[in-house]
Amino acid sequence: MTIHSQSIENRLQQTLSFEDALKILNHSEKGVVLLSEKFEVVMVNQTLERYGCFHREADTNTLTSDMFRLYEEKRKGLRFPLLEWLTSCANADGDNHVSPQLWLKSPSNNSLPVTLHLGRIDFNNRLYWLLSLSDKSWERRADAQQKLMNANHTGQFITSSSGFITHPNDAFLNLTGLDASTLSSLTYIDWLKKQVSLQMPFDKVMSTLLSQHHWAGEVEIFTETDEQFKAQLSISMLVDPKNNIEHFIGLLQDLTEQEEAQATIEKLSYYDRLTGLANKSLLHDLIESAITQAEVNQSQHALLYIGLDGVKIINDTFGHRAGDDLLIQVAEKVSQKLSQLPHDTTLARLDGSNFAILYHSNNQDRQTVKEEVERFSEEMIDAIHGRYQLPQGSVHTSASIGSCIFPISEELDYAADQILSFADMAMFEAKKQGGNQAFLFDTSLIEKAQKRLELIEALNHSEMDEEFQIFFQPQVDGNGNAVSAETLIRWFHPVLGAVSPSKFIPVAEEGRQIIKIGLWVLHKAFLQIKAWNKNRPDFRIAVNISPVQFHEQSFIEIIIGLVKFTQVNPRNVTLELTEGVLIKNAKLAMQKIQHLVSLGFEISIDDFGTGYSSLSYLQKLPIHELKIDQSFIHHLRENPDDEAIVNSIIQLAQSKNLKLVAEGIETQQQVDSLISKKEDIMLQGYFFSQPIPASDFEGRYVMPSNSRAHSA
Ligand code: C2E
Ligand code: MG
Ligand code: MG
């Protein structure tokens, strides 16, 4: 509420002393004359004096129409009969009267639209008249200005030239808890003394304000309702061209919100949004301070890098929302477990399905710390391992944990980033070994990782035709005749030498170079079998297909293109897939397999028995062959479990009428044992031949007179 919109009469009635009343009148933005009961002028306020249109006659206090240059019409010089109007109001009913619109002539002869208000007030049991003049154009301007101020969340006030706070906006009233009428009786200096605690001496603030016309600083506000908050206050002094003070303008900004926003920003930048756990940045800082602490007091710490197993499959099957649900549940489970343990730890979420725990040990003996961290890692693995209930169904997950104890060694230079990547390397090892286990970092892993990097580099720069070759290994029937060849790639790198496919294929799958490699192999293999089929029309070739290659969007189109281009007969080609292929996107995988089969290819499941334990998918798939994994063959005679597995795979193949291949045959006993179990089993292994180059293979097995396989 501002002075021009609140009835001055009301406010005068509330004012205690006559002096105060005069003070308020004097600072009113309306032109005001206080009249006695008999219309004698008691006071004329500053505003009215400023208009310059009030002419007091020296010898009398009695109000006359001549004192005001008021006209009834804008252009015609018809004077408004002020005294008659006042008298008629005094004789009429009611305490408040309003004139019609009148025109006030300013000293510069401008006509301003005004209305007069006459109010009757009692003061100390005496009757007064308050005649106020409201300037319509000024009011409209002030209204607009006020609206603008009120729309602002920053507290604002404007003072009169003498410093009285005449125009506070709503935000200023809210912040200070004071109402407009109280403020209008206060100068901004009174307000500073009443509510504001400055961080510098008051005199300094004032001298800055007066000399530089501006002062700003952080202050503390103490409100009437005993609230207290930090704020930014700025006061500007506006002067006219002659350097007379016109107004002071104050801006008061509550810093509480800003501080809260700052805290929120901090939270966003240091905490994970999904789980509310510390994020990587915060963890990074904490590792840095642990490194410093270790330097100071020889304390020992560990970083556990936790990767959830199989989350990708859960995401692919149920969608990312389900994956997020799982992450939240794991975060809760681990937090709860940590709260039950006595260790000093921080749990953080790194990215995707990776978490980390920073662990501070109380021990200093390296071996003890190692055992302690190993035990702790096991506890975490047990805590995470299990089923989780998601809206889409229940899923199972486990964790692979890589841990890195630091200080690492005196020779190794490391910071938080290195600790994270060392623990990550160890986690990678744990995953490689099948997951659901822990692995402790040691410096040999750095060498291993470097080798991997070398491989990636070499793969990216490899020239397929110059460095790669395909070798062939025979598959023989029960009579020892080679009926088929498995294509196995060989890489001879100019610097690294011969690199085994079991080393570089996983790396090439991760970097997707396998797509290019796989295409190259298929092309070569198709040309080769086409050539061999001229002499041996029934001879077959088997080609390994990586899951990454298989799931590539254009895989089927590429195969169709290659068949057209090479004119190979797909009926002579077996595509070897692993069980893992069928887990991801099972429906699409099934469609792709059906498509391949409709083209004439046969499908073999490689390394059978090691992967996905459920055999239910076999019922639905149009496959032709199972390849028993060599791990079961190697210990066939010694290990009854392996024997049992082999027996059940044989049974399965028989019941589904599938061809069966046993790979990794190295001894005559293995041959005998397998043939005794299943006569028409096909055999493959070093016992018959190592994988060999095409020309050797052709000479030994493809020419009609040489089709019988010999032991190597
Ligand atoms: P795989 O498809 O299961 O191939 C059988 C592996 O066992 C071959 O290893 C072969 O040389 C080896 N092997 C054969 N007989 C015996 C034996 O009697 N004893 C022992 N200990 N091993 C035997 P290799 O050539 O090192 O290939 C390893 C794996 O690399 C292959 O396993 C296959 O998964 C992958 N691979 C090889 N070539 C390709 C390819 O062109 N494309 C794709 N995607 N993967 C390939
Ligand atoms: Mg294979
Ligand atoms: Mg295999």
Side-chain angles (χ1 to χ4, degrees):
M1 194 77 88
T2 61
I3 202 157
H4 77 269
S5 58
Q6 188 187 12
S7 146
I8 302 174
E9 291 85 349
N10 285 348
R11 291 182 36 223
L12 284 181
Q13 310 272 24
Q14 293 158 8
T15 320
L16 292 178
S17 69
F18 192 63
E19 281 69 35
D20 279 344
L22 291 182
K23 215 175 183 180
I24 285 183
L25 282 180
N26 209 20
H27 294 290
S28 162
E29 291 295 339
K30 281 184 181 180
V32 171
V33 189
L34 186 67
L35 302 168
S36 70
E37 194 179 1
K38 298 204 162 60
F39 302 134
E40 290 151 340
V41 177
V42 180
M43 71 98 64
V44 176
N45 82 343
Q46 284 180 359
T47 312
L48 198 56
E49 300 270 21
R50 242 194 347 255
Y51 279 125
C53 19
F54 182 81
H55 311 281
R56 200 196 292 237
E57 279 154 36
D59 54 340
T60 173
N61 267 343
T62 310
L63 188 75
T64 66
S65 292
D66 285 343
M67 286 180 181
F68 269 124
R69 294 170 70 194
L70 282 168
Y71 296 86
E72 286 183 6
E73 284 171 61
K74 191 171 180 183
R75 289 180 216 290
K76 294 185 189 152
L78 199 57
R79 218 19 118 73
F80 176 65
L82 178 64
L83 216 56
E84 282 93 55
W85 180 71
L86 290 174
T87 318
S88 72
C89 292
N91 294 332
D93 289 339
D95 288 342
N96 290 297
H97 307 275
V98 182
S99 75
Q101 180 173 305
L102 303 171
W103 297 92
L104 180 73
K105 270 259 158 63
S106 74
S108 54
N109 253 352
N110 282 334
S111 291
L112 304 173
V114 294
T115 38
L116 299 181
H117 295 251
L118 184 71
R120 190 202 298 263
I121 49 176
D122 274 316
F123 207 87
N124 296 344
N125 293 329
R126 286 182 64 179
L127 187 76
Y128 291 88
W129 293 106
L130 188 68
L131 176 66
S132 61
L133 182 144
S134 50
D135 175 342
K136 290 282 179 197
S137 60
W138 186 88
E139 271 178 16
R140 274 197 291 275
R141 231 177 22 246
D143 261 354
Q145 192 185 357
Q146 193 69 28
K147 275 187 188 133
L148 211 69
M149 277 173 75
N150 283 344
N152 204 322
H153 293 298
T154 305
Q156 294 180 8
F157 65 78
I158 300 175
T159 72
S160 62
S161 54
S162 47
F164 281 89
I165 299 177
T166 51
H167 288 73
N169 73 349
D170 288 348
F172 189 76
L173 301 183
N174 287 338
L175 287 172
T176 56
L178 295 169
D179 57 38
S181 66
T182 312
L183 280 168
S184 68
S185 62
L186 296 178
T187 65
Y188 74 97
I189 293 175
D190 296 335
W191 172 69
L192 285 179
K193 290 190 169 158
K194 188 177 171 72
Q195 288 201 325
V196 181
S197 156
L198 298 160
Q199 285 179 354
M200 57 168 78
F202 180 77
D203 293 350
K204 197 144 181 234
V205 172
M206 289 319 292
S207 64
T208 309
L209 178 59
L210 295 176
S211 61
Q212 296 174 11
H213 296 192
H214 183 78
W215 174 86
E218 215 173 286
V219 297
E220 202 141 352
I221 305 288
F222 295 86
T223 70
E224 303 309 285
T225 49
D226 276 348
E227 278 173 60
Q228 179 183 343
F229 61 91
K230 271 204 191 122
Q232 174 74 18
L233 174 66
S234 78
I235 305 175
S236 303
M237 184 172 88
L238 297 178
V239 294
D240 68 10
K242 289 182 186 153
N243 237 6
N244 299 313
I245 294 171
E246 281 191 319
H247 305 282
F248 290 90
I249 293 179
L251 295 178
L252 181 70
Q253 187 165 26
D254 184 354
L255 293 181
T256 324
E257 261 180 34
Q258 204 169 312
E259 275 173 7
E260 277 168 11
Q262 188 67 35
T264 312
I265 289 167
E266 215 159 87
K267 188 151 174 68
L268 284 180
S269 49
Y270 281 118
Y271 292 87
D272 174 50
R273 285 237 227 148
L274 182 70
T275 58
L277 298 176
N279 70 5
K280 199 169 180 172
S281 314
L282 179 53
L283 181 75
H284 187 277
D285 292 358
L286 294 174
I287 299 172
E288 288 292 354
S289 53
I291 292 173
T292 318
Q293 200 186 327
E295 278 164 12
V296 176
N297 61 7
Q298 279 75 50
S299 55
Q300 303 265 329
H301 313 261
L303 182 73
L304 279 76
Y305 203 111
I306 305 172
L308 298 189
D309 302 324
V311 175
K312 196 164 164 9
I313 295 173
I314 295 168
N315 276 336
D316 289 343
T317 318
F318 292 132
H320 281 270
R321 185 86 37 97
D324 285 354
D325 267 356
L326 174 68
L327 295 179
I328 293 170
Q329 288 188 37
V330 170
E332 278 168 3
K333 209 167 172 189
V334 177
S335 306
Q336 203 184 355
K337 179 77 192 170
L338 289 177
S339 68
Q340 293 162 359
L341 298 175
H343 317 289
D344 178 9
T345 55
T346 305
L347 174 64
R349 173 163 175 238
L350 298 173
D351 44 42
S353 55
N354 294 325
F355 294 86
I357 297 175
L358 180 60
Y359 177 99
H360 308 281
S361 175
N362 291 325
N363 289 304
Q364 290 199 338
D365 172 59
R366 188 71 177 189
Q367 187 55 31
T368 316
V369 175
K370 206 175 138 194
E371 285 160 16
E372 191 185 313
V373 169
E374 276 170 349
R375 250 194 329 274
F376 179 69
S377 300
E378 286 306 323
E379 280 178 294
M380 290 304 113
I381 283 174
D382 287 346
I384 295 170
H385 181 98
R387 296 205 80 80
Y388 293 78
Q389 209 57 48
L390 305 178
Q392 294 86 344
S394 95
V395 295
H396 177 272
T397 199
S398 56
S400 300
I401 299 185
S403 49
C404 174
I405 299 172
F406 60 98
I408 299 177
S409 75
E410 299 220 329
E411 302 89 65
L412 204 68
D413 214 12
Y414 61 89
D417 281 339
Q418 280 73 41
I419 302 278
L420 273 160
S421 84
F422 292 159
D424 185 10
M425 275 179 205
M427 194 272 285
F428 187 72
E429 286 301 314
K431 274 224 192 281
K432 247 177 40 187
Q433 294 178 11
N436 195 28
Q437 56 191 296
F439 197 97
L440 193 62
F441 169 83
D442 72 78
T443 45
S444 71
L445 286 186
I446 300 177
E447 213 174 300
K448 231 173 163 175
Q450 258 156 4
K451 285 236 165 75
R452 241 174 79 80
L453 266 183
E454 261 172 33
L455 272 190
I456 293 170
E457 271 297 289
L459 272 177
N460 284 337
H461 297 106
S462 61
E463 284 298 328
M464 294 295 312
D465 283 328
E466 283 165 27
E467 297 174 21
F468 290 86
Q469 236 181 300
I470 45 173
F471 276 32
F472 298 92
Q473 190 178 33
Q475 295 177 334
V476 306
D477 64 14
N479 302 319
N481 291 323
V483 292
S484 179
E486 178 173 7
T487 314
L488 293 160
I489 194 168
R490 292 294 175 262
W491 184 16
F492 301 101
H493 187 267
V495 180
L496 303 173
V499 188
S500 152
S502 44
K503 286 235 158 60
F504 77 80
I505 298 263
V507 177
E509 284 176 338
E510 216 175 298
R512 297 185 73 80
Q513 294 96 340
I514 192 67
I515 311 245
K516 177 175 115 181
I517 297 172
L519 177 64
W520 182 86
V521 171
L522 279 168
H523 183 208
K524 291 270 167 197
F526 283 8
L527 289 176
Q528 190 60 73
I529 192 59
K530 192 170 156 45
W532 287 342
N533 282 150
K534 282 183 189 143
N535 290 320
R536 300 273 310 273
D538 294 332
F539 203 75
R540 305 188 58 79
I541 204 164
V543 187
N544 291 289
I545 304 292
S546 147
V548 177
Q549 188 185 3
F550 178 83
H551 286 296
E552 233 260 317
Q553 220 179 12
S554 53
F555 178 65
I556 298 289
E557 284 76 21
I558 284 173
I559 291 266
I560 293 173
L562 270 181
V563 169
K564 276 201 182 135
F565 184 66
T566 58
Q567 291 292 307
V568 74
N569 183 357
R571 300 201 183 281
N572 292 103
V573 181
T574 301
L575 300 176
E576 290 192 9
L577 303 175
T578 48
E579 294 168 83
V581 160
L582 309 161
I583 300 171
K584 183 182 166 191
N585 253 334
K587 214 166 151 194
L588 201 64
M590 165 81 97
Q591 284 170 2
K592 280 194 177 179
I593 290 173
Q594 277 164 344
H595 203 143
L596 292 169
V597 170
S598 74
L599 292 171
F601 292 102
E602 288 196 357
I603 305 294
S604 175
I605 305 293
D606 200 358
D607 305 339
F608 190 72
T610 55
Y612 195 47
S613 50
S614 159
L615 300 180
S616 63
Y617 65 92
L618 269 185
Q619 311 294 335
K620 301 180 205 144
L621 284 173
I623 56 165
H624 305 84
E625 180 183 281
L626 300 179
K627 284 187 88 173
I628 309 172
D629 188 67
Q630 43 182 295
S631 59
F632 305 120
I633 305 297
H634 289 160
H635 308 287
L636 189 60
R637 302 288 295 269
E638 306 104 68
N639 188 338
D641 284 348
D642 285 355
E643 177 116 24
I645 291 172
V646 170
N647 287 342
S648 61
I649 297 177
I650 289 174
Q651 260 175 21
L652 183 74
Q654 264 160 351
S655 73
K656 300 275 316 164
N657 210 9
L658 299 174
K659 291 191 212 171
L660 198 60
V661 181
E663 57 181 341
I665 309 282
E666 291 179 354
T667 64
Q668 184 68 52
Q669 284 94 325
Q670 289 164 344
V671 176
D672 294 343
S673 162
L674 286 159
I675 290 188
S676 72
K677 290 178 193 295
K678 186 170 167 38
E679 250 180 26
D680 58 351
I681 194 165
M682 285 202 290
L683 306 166
Q684 180 187 348
Y686 296 166
F687 179 71
F688 302 102
S689 167
Q690 293 264 348
I692 49 175
S695 53
D696 294 354
F697 190 90
E698 192 174 301
R700 277 208 227 167
Y701 304 108
V702 184
M703 290 309 158
S705 54
N706 292 339
S707 68
R708 220 181 133 72
H710 309 284
S711 68

